[in-house]
Amino acid sequence: VELSARLQHPGVVGALDAGAMGRHRYLVLPLVPGESLADRLRRESRLPPADAARLVIEIAKALATVHQAGVIHRDLKPDNILLDSARGGAPRITDFGIAREGFGRGSLTQSSAFLGTPAYMAPEQIQAASQVDGKADVYSLASVLYECICGTPPFTGLTTFEVADQV
């Protein structure tokens, strides 16, 4: 919550507030009218290359701001990209639930757990490498571009392990 609240860019959906009521925790996000990129891909299967390139360039700009703040998203995928109809369908990165801080400040995110969505994860994430940096998000963005143009993620399978084994 603190990470996403600090990220100030029109292409990032930052948290407005968070708290707890008894045992229940809550997170307040701004309303983003429109649909996710995943919804659009389910409807259209693939995007014209020029549209895909425009979206990815805008996402890359937002991702640069995220990385400059020392944050790694770690789960960039079409479901976590909202197409804001109030801004002409401009993409906005959301869901910083497994994001990590520390990249770019002399240390890298360390992980011993398998976190993320395998179809979009960089090899070092899948291998639960001891150090993962912003390049993993760039790999995920390239996988999103691949899906936008080809209509399917670069690696598919019936199970998480089948997908991970291909990367």
Side-chain angles (χ1 to χ4, degrees), residues 15-146:
L16 299 174
D17 193 15
M21 292 181 66
R23 297 183 358 231
H24 303 285
R25 299 184 187 278
Y26 64 88
L27 174 66
V28 180
L29 299 171
L31 174 65
V32 178
E35 64 183 344
S36 71
L37 178 57
D39 290 335
R40 182 171 175 194
L41 289 171
R42 278 190 281 277
R43 191 178 67 252
E44 298 179 20
S45 178
R46 48 183 82 156
L47 305 180
D51 290 352
R54 180 186 56 79
L55 282 174
V56 168
I57 289 168
E58 291 303 313
I59 297 163
K61 289 176 183 177
L63 199 55
T65 296
V66 170
H67 290 166
Q68 286 170 357
V71 175
I72 308 166
H73 188 281
R74 300 196 308 171
D75 197 22
L76 193 63
K77 60 185 178 181
D79 287 300
N80 291 339
I81 299 168
L82 302 179
L83 304 176
D84 189 342
S85 62
R87 293 180 47 231
R92 298 183 69 187
I93 301 170
T94 190
D95 193 354
F96 286 82
I98 64 169
R100 296 287 294 193
E101 187 175 25
F103 165 62
R105 295 195 178 132
S107 66
L108 301 177
T109 288
Q110 294 189 357
S111 174
S112 59
F114 188 88
L115 296 172
T117 305
Y120 306 94
M121 286 173 65
E124 61 269 27
Q125 276 183 281
I126 288 176
Q127 295 166 359
S130 62
Q131 296 185 333
V132 175
D133 63 18
K135 292 184 289 266
D137 286 342
V138 174
Y139 180 98
S140 298
L141 182 57
S143 296
V144 169
L145 175 61
Y146 183 97

